């Protein structure tokens, strides 16, 4: 039980948040059963127009697709599953189970799942579809699916899928060059699911080798997350070992003096098309630094390294315990290195840097290229709620004083009170709890970060602040029964993070956080050509403003 909040208030607040989420889920499920179930069951459309209640569609090559992208519904399933755990009403979890079980059998691209960045299922035609301008490519980027549910339903099929995913993306097992796009392969002798795919040699070739694949951490983290979960649920050591090999490739990019790691570990060159994109754009301008894409960290990539990639590695540690300690250590080293060399506490921003420590904020581009057009300047980027959550998670697991100082700076920059004084709680119990009324944020990631601090310092004000953000979410993001960032957003996304955050808050108030499925920042998207518009991501095209 969380300390310093009266038990009656704990239960009252927890019941309120559960009721809000349950009402939201009931509305969506009742609407689905009334309008769509006869045609679409057991799968769901990704989004619903908040006024017409029509499903989200995508126009491609004259076809109209009713998108059901299972990779864009994993947090919807987590929320339903957690709701059943907290209410003891099985209706919600059963929905998640039925959709996931169906997808494991029917929504397949070879042995892969037909989901992700460029593939989805068309509920109208009952077939998988793909981005016309990309081809049928399997792609996961910071999705972090709800594998726990898949292993509960069908462990053999889930192992098969994960092994096939690695086999389709890894181009060279000796050095772990991989492609962010993957296509089905026939599999090793004996097929997938028997562990044969892991029976390959690995040679730790030095990083920054030249290849064709873009070994981006947003794709690599999904690969090592999947392998780590496969090892955890199957009891096999081999997938855990390969997860460590792959995550270790990024750790090996660390500069010997700064400790800064890269967003990728290879040099990607496509003969006749292009070379390394940083070298092409900055090779002359930054000649003394000999920049590579793997050693130039613009702010958005830093956000990925110390944000979602770090949260992913900490989630692996939480799942594996001491067997996963190395993943935690790598995440903490990244957070400390970028905190020292790229983070500006006074402004709460991360500066673009080379991994040798040279900051590049304000650098005027002399050539057009991947990083922008000539005349533009590289910019610092504010630390957001997800980074606060990530650093708070690192602090909770390490109690490192440097991470605490960064967390305090981010809190000030994000509109929370100055809580430097509570660094050694419970010596100073609830010293600034009264500041909760000043918090106007409704960021669910900020709420997750405060829950981490509440777990680290139960006597502090952090749970009060999380409650205030929960109240703000209910007050400002719940519109006509839908969770929306703004009332003007035309489509409601089933995969909204806000209800999952409220469930975690309710579970924390009850002392039952382990009853709600783990979430480490994953989110889905569909990116493809849209007839008459060009290439778009559904996040920008549908969920912000319909163009």
């Amino acid at each position: 039980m969380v300390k310093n909040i009266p038990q009656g208030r704990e239960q009252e607040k927890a019941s309120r948040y559960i009721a809000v989420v349950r009402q939201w889920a009931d509305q969506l499920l009742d609407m689905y059963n009334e309008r769509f179930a006869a045609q679409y069951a057991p799968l769901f459309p990704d989004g619903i127009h908040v006024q017409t209640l029509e499903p989200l569609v995508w126009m491609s090559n004259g076809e109209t697709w009713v998108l059901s992208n299972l990779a864009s519904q994993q947090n919807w399933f987590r929320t339903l599953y957690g709701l059943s755990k907290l209410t003891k009403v099985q209706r919600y979890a059963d929905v998640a189970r039925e959709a996931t079980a169906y997808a494991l059998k029917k929504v397949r691209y070879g042995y892969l799942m037909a989901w992700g960045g460029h593939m989805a299922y068309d509920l109208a035609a009952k077939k998988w579809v793909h981005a016309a301008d990309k081809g049928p490519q399997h792609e996961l980027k910071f999705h972090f699916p709800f594998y726990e549910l898949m292993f509960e339903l069908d462990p053999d099929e889930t192992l098969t899928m994960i092994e096939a995913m690695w086999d389709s993306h890894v181009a060279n097992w000796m050095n772990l060059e991989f492609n962010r796009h993957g296509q089905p392969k026939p599999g090793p002798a004996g097929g997938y699911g028997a562990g044969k795919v892991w029976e390959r040699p690995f040679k730790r070739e030095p990083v920054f080798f030249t290849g064709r694949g873009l070994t981006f951490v947003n794709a690599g983290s999904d690969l090592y997350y999947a392998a780590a979960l496969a090892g955890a649920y199957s009891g096999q050591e081999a997938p855990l070992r390969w997860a460590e090999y792959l995550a270790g490739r990024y750790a090996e990019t660390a500069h010997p003096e700064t400790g800064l790691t890269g967003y990728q570990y290879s040099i990607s060159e496509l003969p006749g098309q292009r070379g390394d994109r940083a070298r092409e754009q900055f090779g002359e301008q930054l000649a003394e630094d000999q920049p590579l894409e793997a050693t130039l960290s613009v702010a958005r990539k830093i956000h990925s390294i110390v944000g979602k990639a770090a949260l992913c590695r900490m989630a692996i540690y939480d799942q594996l315990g001491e067997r996963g300690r190395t993943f935690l250590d790598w995440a903490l080293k990244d957070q400390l290195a970028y905190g020292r060399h790229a983070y500006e506490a006074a402004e709460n921003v991360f500066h673009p840097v080379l991994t040798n420590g040279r900051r590049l904020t304000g650098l005027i581009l002399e050539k057009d290229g991947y990083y922008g057009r000539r005349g533009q300047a590289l910019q610092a980027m504010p630390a957001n709620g997800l980074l606060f959550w990530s650093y708070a998670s690192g602090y909770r697991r390490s109690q490192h004083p440097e991470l605490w100082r960064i967390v305090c700076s981010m809190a000030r920059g994000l509109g929370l009170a100055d809580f430097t004084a509570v660094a050694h709680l419970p010596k100073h119990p609830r010293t600034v709890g009264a500041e909760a009324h000043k918090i106007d944020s409704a960021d669910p990631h900020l709420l997750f970060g405060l829950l981490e601090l509440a777990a680290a310092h139960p006597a502090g004000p952090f749970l009060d602040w999380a409650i205030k953000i929960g109240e703000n979410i209910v007050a400002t993001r719940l519109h006509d029964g839908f969770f929306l960032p703004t009332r003007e957003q035309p489509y409601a996304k089933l995969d909204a993070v806000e209800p999952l955050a409220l469930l975690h808050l309710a579970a924390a108030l009850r002392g039952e956080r382990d009853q709600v499925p783990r979430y480490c920042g994953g989110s889905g998207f569909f990116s493809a050509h849209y007839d008459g518009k060009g290439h778009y991501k559904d996040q920008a095209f549908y969920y912000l403003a319909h163009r």
Side-chain angles (χ1 to χ4, degrees), residues 106-225:
K106 303 291 186 180
V107 187
R108 304 301 290 272
Y109 175 38
Y111 290 104
L112 303 167
M113 189 80 82
W115 63 357
H118 304 305
M119 298 189 75
Y121 191 78
D122 175 15
L123 291 173
K126 300 193 182 304
K127 65 177 183 178
W128 59 258
V129 294
H130 66 270
D133 53 337
K134 296 291 184 179
Q137 304 285 2
H138 180 274
E139 179 188 74
L140 294 182
K141 286 181 177 177
F142 285 152
H143 284 78
F144 309 138
F146 189 11
Y147 291 119
E148 296 92 331
L149 176 58
M150 298 180 199
F151 277 106
E152 176 186 310
L153 293 170
D154 195 334
D156 292 338
E157 197 61 42
T158 306
L159 279 174
T160 293
M161 181 184 68
I162 291 173
E163 290 185 11
M165 183 167 72
W166 268 67
D167 207 24
S168 71
H169 287 272
V170 176
N172 184 339
W173 288 76
M174 292 290 285
N175 61 13
L176 280 176
E177 178 190 354
F178 69 84
N179 298 308
R180 69 194 190 283
H181 293 157
Q183 295 183 321
K185 291 184 178 179
Y192 294 120
K196 297 292 185 181
V197 75
W198 311 114
E199 295 177 0
R200 290 177 160 107
F202 171 63
K203 180 181 179 182
R204 191 168 272 103
E205 178 181 338
V207 293
F208 310 138
F209 56 83
T210 299
R212 298 173 64 89
L214 289 164
T215 53
F216 288 163
V217 74
N218 62 352
S221 58
D222 255 301
L223 287 170
Y224 62 68
Y225 184 72

Side-chain angles (χ1 to χ4, degrees), residues 82-102:
L83 192 56
S84 279
K85 286 289 186 178
L86 296 182
T87 63
K88 310 304 180 187
V89 177
Q90 291 307 305
R91 173 195 187 196
Y92 308 107
D94 287 346
V95 167
R97 290 189 182 100
E98 289 170 11
T100 301
Y102 181 88

Side-chain angles (χ1 to χ4, degrees), residues 281-282 285 296 298-300 352 360-368 371-381:
Q281 191 165 5
F282 296 109
Q285 187 174 2
L296 197 164
V298 291
R300 69 180 184 276
L360 301 176
T361 301
L363 181 74
I364 305 298
L365 308 187
E366 296 178 356
K367 295 173 64 176
D368 291 343
Y371 295 90
R373 299 191 63 80
R374 179 181 178 183
Q376 293 179 332
L378 295 181
Q379 301 291 332
M381 183 180 293

Side-chain angles (χ1 to χ4, degrees), residues 402-426:
E402 277 191 71
L403 295 182
W404 174 256
R405 287 193 289 272
I406 294 172
V407 168
C408 290
S409 296
M410 289 183 178
R412 289 192 296 271
L414 292 168
L416 299 177
D418 185 344
F419 51 78
T420 307
V422 299
H424 300 293
L425 286 170

Side-chain angles (χ1 to χ4, degrees), residues 320-522:
L320 299 177
E322 284 305 304
R323 176 62 183 84
R325 169 66 64 172
T326 304
F327 292 94
L328 173 62
D329 291 343
W330 284 329
L332 297 175
K333 287 178 180 178
D334 277 345
Q335 291 188 328
L336 288 167
Y338 276 100
R340 292 164 183 162
H341 296 283
Y343 181 64
E344 189 73 51
E347 300 176 17
N348 189 37
V349 298
F350 278 91
H351 292 278
V353 293
L354 293 165
T355 56
N356 64 13
R358 178 178 175 180
R359 290 187 176 182
L360 301 176
T361 301
L363 181 74
I364 305 298
L365 308 187
E366 296 178 356
K367 295 173 64 176
D368 291 343
Y370 173 68
Y371 295 90
R373 299 191 63 80
R374 179 181 178 183
Q376 293 179 332
L378 295 181
Q379 301 291 332
M381 183 180 293
N384 58 15
L386 187 137
L387 286 181
F388 172 81
W389 171 25
S390 180
Y391 270 83
S393 298
Y395 167 72
R396 176 192 169 190
R397 289 159 180 79
S398 68
Q399 300 290 303
H400 199 292
E402 277 191 71
L403 295 182
W404 174 256
R405 287 193 289 272
I406 294 172
V407 168
C408 290
S409 296
M410 289 183 178
R412 289 192 296 271
L414 292 168
L416 299 177
D418 185 344
F419 51 78
T420 307
V422 299
H424 300 293
L425 286 170
K427 290 182 180 179
H428 307 284
R430 309 183 74 73
T431 52
V432 288
E435 299 288 342
H437 72 279
K438 297 181 180 179
I439 299 172
D440 59 7
S441 174
D443 183 350
H445 294 134
L446 198 59
L447 189 157
F448 278 111
L450 289 170
L451 291 181
E452 291 294 299
L453 297 182
H457 297 302
F462 307 113
L463 195 61
D464 281 342
W465 294 356
I467 289 170
K468 182 60 168 70
I469 293 178
E471 294 297 317
N472 293 344
I473 287 173
V474 175
T476 67
R477 296 201 177 186
L478 189 59
H479 304 288
D480 300 323
F482 297 104
F483 282 101
L484 306 167
T486 68
R487 182 177 289 277
E488 290 71 33
Q489 180 168 298
Y491 281 82
K493 191 175 186 180
L494 268 66
D495 218 41
V497 176
E498 288 85 352
L500 183 57
L502 292 178
L503 278 192
H504 273 272
L505 175 56
L509 288 166
R510 284 185 170 187
E512 298 176 342
R513 191 84 189 274
D514 61 342
Q515 294 298 299
V516 182
R518 180 184 296 110
Y519 168 62
C520 59

